[in-house]
Each structure stands twice: as C-alpha cells, then as structure tokens.
Amino acid sequence: MGLSSRHLLGLEETSAEDITTILDTAISFREILERPIKKVPTLRGLTVLNLFYEASTRTRISFELAEKRLSADVVNFSSSTSSVTKGESLKDTVRTIEAMKIDMVVVRHGSPGAPHLLTRTLESNIINAGDGAHEHPTQGLLDMFTLRQKYGSLKGLRVVLVGDTKHSRVARSNIWGLKTMGASVAICSPSTLLPYAAEQFGVDVYTNLDEALDGADVVNILRIQLERQQSGMFPSQREYVNLFGINTDRLKRLNKNYTIMHPGPMNRGVEITSEVADSESSVILEQVTNGQAVRMAVLYLLSGKKMETDSKE
Ligand code: CP
C-alpha cells in the first residue's frame, strides 16, 4: 500500500484512490490515539523537519505529535527565530538543513507554490501544511475523515463553505477533495470575498447565506483572513455578522443531522456564535483529534515504511 506520489502538495492533483487510501489508513491511527500508550515504532530512524514560515497552532502541534507518536526524530524550524531574519533564502535554508540528513519536510509558507519549489530543490518527501491562499491538503483530508466518520460516505453530501472563500486555502482543499469524492459543494461569501471566476471550481456560488444553507448537510465556516486581504472588502464587521455570521436561527434551514465545522482559529461572535461553536452538532474538536490520525497516515504512506501498530513503551 502506498500513494501514487512521494509528496502531498494539494488535493487538486490527488486522486480518489489516494484520498481513500489515506482516509482508510487513518482509521488505524485514530484507534492508536485512544490507547494508553499512543506510540508505535512505524517511522523509527526517520527524521522529519517541520518548516514553518507562518504562525500555526493546530497544524504545527498536530504534525509534531503525529511524528513523535510514529517514533520519528523531529526538528522544528520557525522562521522568526532563524537566520531567515538575517536574509537567508528559503532555498539556502532548506538545503542547509537537508545537509544534516533529514527525510521528510512539512512546510507552511505564505507564498503559494513554496512546497512545489522544495520538491525541485530537495530529495526529501514534501508535505504541504498550507501555502498562502492556495491549498492546505491535510486540513481538507481531516475534514473529509470527520465527515466520513459521521455519515459513512461523502457521496451526495451537500457541503457549504461560508466566509472568506477568496483567501482560504482550506476552502480550496475542501472543494477539490470533496468534489473528487462525490460530494456536492457550495460556497457562500460577500461578492468581494469570492474567488475570481468562482464558478470554474465546479461549485454552486451564493452571496445570500439563507439560500446557500437551504437543504445543506454540512456548514464549514471560514475565518475572515485579515492578514491576506486588503481593507474595505466589506463595509463593517457588524454588517458581516448580520449577513454571513452563523447563528442558531440560521441553522433551521439545514437538513436534519447537520454538521458544523470550522478549521480554526475561530473568531467567536464574528463568523460563528459561541452557541453554534459549542453545540452538539459541532465537530470542531473532533476535527482537531482526527487531524493527528490523518497526518500520521500521510507521514506513514509517504515514508514507504511498513505498518507497525503495536504500541511501544
Ligand atoms: N486550521 C489551521 O490550519 O490552523 P492553524 O493555522 O492553527 O495551524
């Protein structure tokens, strides 16, 4: 068992077979997370570099825990405390670290395509942990794993992505992955926060939230990415909350057994109320737990190692 590529760069180019392999494999790793000793020897002898040029809580910690629970050696790089501050380029930085003998690189970078550049520079397996507004494939995979856990299959599920779909790499990875797996996808944003030529993604496009939510099974709520946008994309936060904020009243339009998702970090009181975020239909913390299992599966499948699932002391 393995994947058809030695890197995970995005879900746009990932086949249904590879997505299914990752999601099926993650089931075994999810079970390991429930054990008293959450550690297996699968990646013993391999060294993984977590190369983060952008802030992260969930993805960085989740990858680090996934690597440690697979018994890999782990090196963490943060650009703000490195020689990047003295002007060292991405290429020189990664070639320097690879010269210390590393096997896999997990990279987050503000520039779309940075992980693709690394595949041409390094021998290591490259995993994209978020590149600008382009893709965040492990977030898309963990979202699909969480939905498959609840509904059994993604086929025919109606998923609406609400919020800043223009600047969201989570939106892009969800769109590609869900469509590949047979879900029906819609996006809903103010017109200024829709991607250019949004229809070309093969999704239903809405600027009216109530219409978008009608008959949906899943709402995946996205943060307004103030760090990636110019000012003036909407008149005021108050107006955004009124027109696009998800509150309990709006959920009446959804199908029974609906699901609330958010990739985090959340701005409570802006794109989502606390009542919705903490409701029974919210799977936000399950997404976080499942993220570790999915990342363990990706690391394992790209490593080419044999599955070892006996816990180690
Ligand atoms: N969902 C997500 O990517 O969160 P972080 O930015 O905290 O990693």
Side-chain angles (χ1 to χ4, degrees):
M1 187 156 59
L3 301 178
S4 54
S5 169
R6 53 185 299 269
H7 309 293
L8 178 68
L9 302 178
L11 296 189
E12 185 175 7
E13 59 270 23
T14 305
S15 66
E17 291 71 31
D18 280 353
I19 291 174
T20 304
T21 301
I22 295 167
L23 300 184
D24 288 348
T25 306
I27 295 170
S28 309
F29 289 115
R30 184 66 185 79
E31 183 266 317
I32 289 168
L33 297 179
E34 298 304 323
R35 295 182 189 171
I37 297 171
K38 301 166 185 54
K39 190 156 181 166
V40 289
T42 313
L43 294 194
R44 193 165 43 195
L46 291 189
T47 304
V48 186
L49 167 66
N50 297 316
L51 185 74
F52 277 67
Y53 277 76
E54 272 193 345
S56 170
T57 298
R58 278 144 287 268
T59 312
R60 206 195 63 71
I61 294 175
S62 178
F63 265 113
E64 184 173 346
L65 280 172
E67 292 147 10
K68 288 181 169 167
R69 287 175 170 165
L70 291 170
S71 303
D73 294 315
V74 179
V75 182
N76 289 314
F77 168 95
S78 166
S79 59
S80 59
T81 53
S82 74
S83 290
V84 170
T85 56
K86 302 173 195 163
E88 193 163 39
S89 71
L90 171 62
K91 193 168 167 181
D92 282 335
T93 300
V94 292
R95 291 184 71 195
T96 300
I97 302 173
E98 196 179 53
M100 299 181 214
K101 306 296 178 195
I102 53 154
D103 302 290
M104 307 180 92
V105 178
V106 175
V107 57
R108 170 169 287 195
H109 200 283
S111 298
H116 305 67
L117 173 75
L118 297 194
T119 64
R120 297 194 289 276
T121 311
L122 303 178
E123 292 300 316
S124 306
N125 306 96
I126 308 296
I127 301 172
N128 182 358
D131 60 329
H134 176 227
E135 280 231 38
H136 190 350
T138 56
Q139 180 71 47
L141 288 164
L142 75 88
D143 290 344
M144 288 192 282
F145 182 90
T146 305
L147 291 177
R148 220 177 62 153
Q149 201 177 40
K150 175 164 174 178
Y151 295 106
S153 167
L154 299 169
K155 209 162 246 152
L157 215 55
R158 175 81 170 162
V159 182
V160 186
L161 296 151
V162 178
D164 183 359
T165 54
K166 185 187 185 84
H167 301 94
S168 172
R169 54 196 175 205
V170 174
R172 278 170 186 69
S173 289
N174 264 270
I175 290 169
W176 298 128
L178 285 164
K179 275 169 45 66
T180 299
M181 298 308 286
S184 151
V185 184
I187 60 175
C188 179
S189 313
S191 53
T192 49
L193 291 178
L194 282 171
Y196 174 72
E199 294 79 7
Q200 287 181 17
F201 285 101
V203 296
D204 297 325
V205 180
Y206 294 92
T207 52
N208 179 297
L209 182 59
D210 291 332
E211 287 173 17
L213 296 183
D214 244 342
D217 301 295
V218 180
V219 194
N220 198 341
I221 303 158
L222 307 168
R223 180 175 66 89
I224 297 293
Q225 307 224 353
L226 292 172
E227 73 276 24
R228 287 191 220 288
Q229 63 180 244
Q230 301 149 344
S231 60
M233 303 297 263
F234 47 89
S236 69
Q237 184 167 298
R238 191 168 163 180
E239 181 169 316
Y240 184 86
V241 172
N242 282 340
L243 294 177
F244 293 94
I246 302 286
N247 55 40
T248 310
D249 210 35
R250 287 221 140 103
L251 302 180
K252 291 180 185 134
R253 295 180 170 265
L254 298 171
N255 285 342
K256 257 171 76 176
N257 197 26
Y258 65 80
T259 300
I260 301 296
M261 307 182 91
H262 195 306
M266 278 187 281
N267 290 314
R268 288 172 184 258
V270 183
E271 71 269 11
I272 186 168
T273 61
S274 278
E275 201 182 357
V276 173
D278 302 328
S279 65
E280 273 195 359
S281 302
S282 163
V283 293
I284 293 169
L285 290 178
E286 278 152 70
Q287 288 173 261
V288 176
T289 309
N290 291 338
Q292 234 184 101
V294 164
R295 290 176 176 123
M296 287 168 88
V298 169
L299 288 158
Y300 156 67
L301 288 164
L302 292 179
S303 75
K305 290 268 199 179
K306 282 210 191 101
M307 178 80 97
E308 292 183 72
T309 56
D310 289 343
S311 289
K312 82 176 215 192
E313 299 285 340

